[in-house]
Amino acid sequence: MINTMKTTVDRTTFTITFQRSFAAPREDVFDAWTDPEQITHWWDPTGVPLAACAVDLRHGGTFRFTTASNHAPPFTGVYSVVERPALLVFDAMGAVGTVRLEAEAGATRMTVTIRCPSAEHLEQFVKLGVDVGTDRTLDNLVAHVARKRKVG
């Protein structure tokens, strides 16, 4: 498996795309995305565990992640698709987030997209550093899954 770490901002489709690969089954990566206990340990781009994390993992269910540092407002959203272990789609911050997990030779390729409704919305996200912060958060996720595989 090739180690993939790639981020692109596509101004024609108003989309930010992130790719990562894991030496882990996609079920493990899916669980890291959906289990509040695990999310707490990797979500904040600063590396500090979340102060609170709630997940109602179902179509129409909500999530709320609250940072301990209060450097950002709580991240909240609503799931529109939950297909274990392959796909999560959710609405958050006025955009649509998609997490796609593909099995690849005993490993997992993850593609995360944030699709904004307009060029202005995308530019606001870029100005706020959503692309950079999400990069750090996904790096935390990769490290979390690797640690969990070594321990568990």
Side-chain angles (χ1 to χ4, degrees):
M1 176 186 73
I2 296 172
N3 185 20
T4 304
M5 241 181 79
K6 182 178 174 187
T7 301
T8 56
V9 176
D10 185 337
R11 286 177 167 80
T12 60
T13 62
F14 321 133
T15 304
I16 307 171
T17 303
F18 308 87
Q19 292 183 324
R20 297 292 189 277
S21 49
F22 299 82
R26 62 188 184 158
E27 290 81 3
D28 290 0
V29 180
F30 188 90
D31 289 346
W33 268 99
T34 57
D35 172 24
E37 177 60 31
Q38 291 192 56
I39 297 165
T40 295
H41 293 288
W42 65 266
W43 184 265
D44 191 323
T46 67
V48 175
L50 294 176
C53 180
V55 173
D56 179 8
L57 189 63
R58 62 182 174 85
H59 175 81
T62 61
F63 58 83
R64 180 180 181 90
F65 308 157
T66 306
T67 64
S69 65
N70 293 319
H71 73 275
F75 183 70
T76 62
V78 178
Y79 294 107
S80 57
V81 178
V82 176
E83 294 178 6
R84 178 179 167 77
L87 183 64
L88 292 169
V89 180
F90 53 89
D91 297 305
M93 297 177 61
V96 176
T98 302
V99 178
R100 187 172 309 282
L101 303 171
E102 299 172 281
E104 182 179 85
T108 301
R109 176 184 300 272
M110 176 181 74
T111 304
V112 176
T113 58
I114 300 170
R115 183 173 307 275
C116 297
S118 67
E120 296 77 21
H121 197 263
L122 174 64
E123 290 310 317
Q124 182 180 10
F125 271 20
V126 171
K127 185 177 178 182
L128 289 171
V130 170
D131 52 338
V132 174
T134 303
D135 257 341
R136 288 185 191 134
T137 296
L138 296 178
D139 290 345
N140 293 346
L141 172 60
V142 170
H144 170 78
V145 170
R147 274 192 310 276
K148 196 152 178 56
R149 301 251 329 136
K150 287 181 184 174
V151 172

